[in-house]
Amino acid sequence: NSAGRRPLEPSADIVVGLGWGDEGKGATVDALVAFTKADRVVRFNGGQQAAHNVIANGVHHTFASFGSGSLAGAPTYVSKYCTVDPIAIVNEWFALRDKCVNPKLYVDTECLVTTEIHIAANLTRNSATNHGTTGTGFGETVYYALEHDALRVKHLSSIDAIMEHLVDLRDFYFGLGLIQWIPNLYDRAVDLYKSLFFFFFVSSDDLTAELQTGHTVFEGAQGFVLDENFGFNPHTTWSTTTPANARKLLRDAGVDNVRAIGCLRTYATRHGNGPLPLEGSLPMMPEELHNGSHGVQGAFRVAPHDMDIVNWAIDMTGVDSLAVSHYDVFNGLYTS
């Protein structure tokens, strides 16, 4: 465990972003797992819309469904507060195996499941609203579940249950005019069923028991300024991006040796539409190896930090320390 921790006591680090995403959460999680020899990484918000870039020992991977501690050997637990896209899980599993990584993924049976129907509706809706999207169906998955008996991981062990949910989902979104009619859903149901070979079912009680031993790194998705409650609507996410969900899981497990770490770059970033104070004030456009302006997310934008927003994010998330990345981008940068 990290310095100052009692080795016989369960402990945890919570990693959250303090901006609009792309703050270095993945790299921070990877470093913490390697340093503390963490027993597991737990995802506690968001879903497959994450894009956390990690480079370790010359291997690069963009983590979405799996935790960013996978290259360092830590298994991933996806808590009930997250969504999962089973097809995306399968694709990422193969991508990691091609990099000689043997990833292990444990998913809470209560997690909402994203399907290609959610993704299609997501893209259609955003083309009308232009509020911003990753195009992965995350928001539609949460939206549909607010008033419907939605597809969850626990249903994936039955093709009949999957079919029942897919039919209801198709009919709902077709009625809204957000998707085209899909005449045969059976093949899609079979693909969802087959995804079970790539991860393990767990209950919330199973995760609670896991947290009561060893060290856990909690990996947040997106950033505080995109939070569903605190962000600048309508350019927000359908997710609680503060440490609140992680802290609830830890309280349930009786773990109180906890440190929260807020992530920032040395400059602010955001994808697509929405406010970005001080945009255009940087002396240069930093080189971006893994963030582009292509795709449905829209342009990758940068700015100096608005320190009022940074201080607000720190206050509202209650982080204990900061992890600041990209310190080498600007020559002559000093901190005090």
Side-chain angles (χ1 to χ4, degrees):
N1 283 341
S2 58
R5 294 190 183 280
R6 290 169 287 180
L8 298 180
E9 179 184 41
S11 56
D13 286 315
I14 305 172
V15 176
V16 295
L18 299 180
W20 286 271
D22 297 292
E23 309 99 338
K25 296 183 293 294
T28 302
V29 167
D30 172 71
L32 284 169
V33 169
F35 180 70
T36 65
K37 296 180 172 56
D39 298 278
R40 65 198 66 86
V41 169
V42 175
R43 297 283 306 278
F44 63 91
N45 77 295
Q48 64 282 350
Q49 91 281 36
H52 295 174
N53 286 287
V54 175
I55 302 175
N57 299 318
V59 177
H60 167 255
H61 185 75
T62 302
F63 287 95
S65 297
F66 288 79
S68 295
S70 298
L71 296 183
T76 302
Y77 286 77
V78 180
S79 74
K80 63 183 178 182
Y81 298 109
C82 299
T83 67
V84 293
D85 177 344
I87 306 305
I89 287 174
V90 174
N91 292 336
E92 188 170 352
W93 187 90
F94 278 111
L96 285 165
R97 285 302 301 268
D98 287 345
K99 298 169 184 176
C100 299
V101 179
N102 183 24
K104 290 184 173 58
L105 184 67
Y106 300 84
V107 181
D108 194 302
T109 55
E110 291 301 317
C111 287
L112 293 169
V113 171
T114 297
T115 70
E116 63 181 282
I117 299 173
H118 295 101
I119 295 171
N122 173 195
L123 294 172
T124 303
R125 191 190 299 273
N126 188 69
S127 66
T129 65
N130 211 24
H131 289 165
T133 183
T134 59
T136 58
F138 171 73
E140 292 297 337
T141 305
V142 179
Y143 164 76
Y144 179 82
L146 292 176
E147 296 184 359
H148 298 85
D149 177 21
L151 182 65
R152 296 181 184 271
V153 168
K154 63 186 178 184
H155 300 128
L156 295 182
S157 58
S158 166
I159 292 181
D160 288 342
I162 298 171
M163 277 296 298
E164 180 179 347
H165 283 279
L166 289 183
V167 168
D168 290 343
L169 187 64
R170 175 197 61 186
D171 293 350
F172 173 76
Y173 277 116
F174 181 76
L176 293 181
L178 291 178
I179 66 166
Q180 296 180 343
W181 183 254
I182 304 173
N184 185 352
L185 296 176
Y186 185 77
D187 289 342
R188 293 166 176 82
V190 170
D191 287 341
L192 290 170
Y193 177 78
K194 288 180 178 178
S195 72
L196 298 182
F197 295 104
F198 296 86
F199 63 90
F200 303 96
F201 280 15
V202 292
S203 68
S204 296
D205 289 342
D206 293 330
L207 178 55
T208 297
E210 278 289 321
L211 297 177
Q212 292 169 343
T213 62
H215 185 66
T216 305
V217 177
F218 283 81
E219 180 173 1
Q222 299 187 296
F224 170 76
V225 196
L226 294 172
D227 185 88
E228 59 187 346
N229 296 309
F230 296 105
F232 298 98
N233 284 315
H235 306 286
T236 55
T237 183
W238 290 72
S239 177
T240 297
T241 63
T242 71
N245 293 340
R247 293 191 186 281
K248 174 66 166 59
L249 292 168
L250 289 163
R251 284 196 301 270
D252 290 345
V255 180
D256 56 12
N257 189 5
V258 179
R259 174 178 59 176
I261 300 170
C263 294
L264 287 171
R265 294 190 187 211
T266 51
Y267 52 98
T269 68
R270 105 167 282 163
H271 271 285
N273 292 333
L276 183 62
L278 306 179
E279 186 173 11
S281 301
L282 286 179
M284 56 175 280
M285 176 65 184
E287 180 182 3
E288 288 294 333
L289 296 178
H290 304 117
N291 282 292
S293 294
H294 55 278
V296 296
Q297 277 189 288
F300 185 73
R301 302 155 57 196
V302 299
H305 281 298
D306 181 324
M307 292 311 298
D308 287 338
I309 291 179
V310 171
N311 289 327
W312 173 51
I314 291 171
D315 289 343
M316 298 305 295
T317 57
V319 295
D320 304 297
S321 57
L322 299 179
V324 182
S325 64
H326 294 72
Y327 69 91
D328 57 342
V329 168
F330 300 102
N331 291 330
L333 175 69
Y334 296 92
T335 59
S336 60

